[in-house]
Amino acid sequence: MASKARHTDRRTDALSRERIVATAVELLDAAGADGLTFRALSAELRTGAGAIYWHVANKSELLGAATDAVLAGATTVAEATPEAEVRALALGLFDAIDEHPWLAGQLAQGPWKSEALRIFERLGQRVQALGVPGPAQFTSATALMLFIVGAASQNAANAANAAELRRAQPDASRTALLAGESTMWEGLDPGDYPFLHDIAGQLREHDDREQFLAGVDLILAGIAALRPQA
């Protein structure tokens, strides 16, 4: 009887790689990479682990497929200029990591990992289209890659920390949290912390996405300076 009950509890619609990956993304969003196990995935899909292994060999492959699925839309850009394409690609990654914080860990493993490699290739093609001399192309593309992934990942970490604080203080908004941090900076000894003391007000008022794009523009301005002058 118990065996029959377990059987009828299972999903009757066909199991596909696409559905496995979509469910994996949901688990990753809810619990991070550590929470993605084949046991948890089997429970969500109401099937046996063997059926999942028929479509996905291991967790590494599953993480790669989930990353590809999330990045597919975020990194597909077609803009009028290479600079605009870099900005669009950067903002797509920023928003994707903000929505799916576990992406940061996948992309931070270096440009030799397949998902990061494709992003690095796209950035490199835009650098080449900007007319950067060959010897400076690697450094230019690397600077963009490190800033985009690093800054977007830090933003996601900041958002997670803020969410944790809000759970402890339900009435605390992002504005209130930044105001509190800004006030703390303003209270620092200006002799020891002259820079933080001076920019405390900017912390209170800044917009994360605008600040991120301003950083991308700073790097693009540096890259533009590398081009041979006509």
Side-chain angles (χ1 to χ4, degrees), residues 41-106:
L41 192 58
S42 298
E44 286 294 320
L45 292 167
R46 286 181 281 173
T47 189
I52 297 173
Y53 282 117
W54 180 262
H55 297 277
V56 183
N58 49 49
K59 182 174 178 177
S60 178
E61 181 182 333
L62 184 57
L63 278 168
T67 301
D68 284 344
V70 170
L71 292 180
T75 59
T76 301
V77 297
E79 300 292 337
T81 66
E83 293 93 342
E85 288 194 341
V86 168
R87 293 187 190 98
L89 177 58
L91 197 56
L93 284 170
F94 182 90
D95 290 338
I97 293 174
D98 187 53
E99 185 177 355
H100 309 281
W102 52 271
L103 276 177
Q106 286 297 105

Side-chain angles (χ1 to χ4, degrees), residues 1 11 37 48 56 75 106 112 125 133 182-183 188 203 207 221:
M1 182 67 71
R11 300 182 70 110
T37 66
V56 183
T75 59
Q106 286 297 105
W112 51 88
Q125 288 179 15
S182 177
T183 299
L188 294 171
L203 171 67
D207 178 273

Side-chain angles (χ1 to χ4, degrees), residues 5 33-34 44 56 64 78 84 128 136 138 143 153 162 167 180 184 215 223-224:
D34 290 341
E44 286 294 320
V56 183
Q128 289 178 327
F138 174 68
S153 300
R167 280 192 285 272
M184 189 274 285
I223 288 174

Side-chain angles (χ1 to χ4, degrees), residues 217-227:
D217 284 339
L218 280 173
I219 297 175
L220 286 172
I223 288 174
L226 296 172
R227 290 181 293 194

